[in-house]
Amino acid sequence: MRSGHSLAFQQFEEVLSQITIERISLEDSRVSDLLKDTNHIKGLPSCPFRMEWSAESDWEPGDSSQVSEGSCILVPIPSSAEEGLLLRSVGYAEREQAIAKYRFLCDGTFILTTRYGQSIAEERIWFVSEHVRCRSSVIKTSEGSGVLQTSFSSEVRRLSI
């Protein structure tokens, strides 16, 4: 369950999401393909995973065409315990393969910066309790000189068995 505020649209949004994250093998062909497409990256991949999501917003209730869904393969390539690269088969701000830089701050905040063809996205994720996290994002122009979109979400995890 996510509540968010979009400065671009100047309104709040309620979203119900179903997110599944599964660890996959380094030998998985989808991981091999992603690594092959980014063969200029140095470092050893670690703990790849697949993320799948489906989300419905209250901006268009009952409109099934407004359901956001998809999946992607993510492959971390750590350079230290606190930072590294994250290969993404599908990006967040633009629907293209991307290479992001990640780092963890000393308080556990996760920062992900992704350069796309037309924009730069910076996402910050932090947990305020075991089942509540906050997420902010800023999408800038590809030169970084202008802000295209900002958002803030507080998210509550509902565990299913």
Side-chain angles (χ1 to χ4, degrees):
M1 298 180 297
R2 179 174 66 218
S3 298
H5 179 248
S6 171
L7 294 178
F9 297 112
Q10 296 184 350
Q11 61 181 307
F12 288 93
E13 177 184 24
E14 296 292 328
V15 179
L16 289 177
S17 299
Q18 179 71 38
I19 299 171
T20 304
I21 299 172
E22 72 174 311
R23 189 172 179 175
I24 56 178
S25 167
L26 279 169
E27 288 77 34
D28 187 295
S29 63
R30 298 168 295 182
V31 173
S32 302
D33 291 344
L34 188 55
L35 290 169
K36 190 182 329 169
D37 288 345
T38 54
N39 62 2
H40 62 282
I41 299 297
K42 303 295 182 222
L44 296 174
S46 173
C47 305
F49 57 101
R50 179 178 182 272
M51 186 168 59
E52 183 175 352
W53 64 89
S54 175
E56 189 170 343
S57 168
D58 69 346
W59 284 359
E60 298 292 337
D63 184 352
S64 61
S65 69
Q66 294 298 313
V67 173
S68 170
E69 58 187 13
S71 67
C72 66
I73 303 298
L74 297 117
V75 181
I77 301 179
S79 56
S80 72
E82 294 83 27
E83 59 187 50
L85 299 176
L86 183 66
L87 308 182
R88 301 170 75 146
S89 64
V90 177
Y92 161 70
E94 296 180 29
R95 311 238 358 115
E96 62 184 40
Q97 187 172 302
I99 300 171
K101 292 181 180 180
Y102 73 84
R103 66 186 166 113
F104 289 95
L105 302 181
C106 59
D107 67 356
T109 299
F110 178 70
I111 299 176
L112 188 63
T113 304
T114 310
R115 240 179 221 286
Y116 297 100
Q118 302 297 313
S119 64
I120 301 168
E122 181 177 284
E123 302 168 75
R124 290 176 177 257
I125 300 170
W126 65 99
F127 285 86
V128 295
S129 72
E130 183 181 359
H131 299 294
V132 178
R133 80 174 190 174
C134 293
R135 180 175 169 272
S136 66
S137 68
V138 177
I139 301 175
K140 302 175 187 177
T141 61
S142 58
E143 299 82 33
S145 58
V147 174
L148 300 172
Q149 179 181 341
T150 62
S151 68
F152 172 81
S153 298
S154 56
E155 301 170 337
V156 178
R157 177 172 31 188
R158 183 172 53 190
L159 300 175
S160 61
I161 299 174

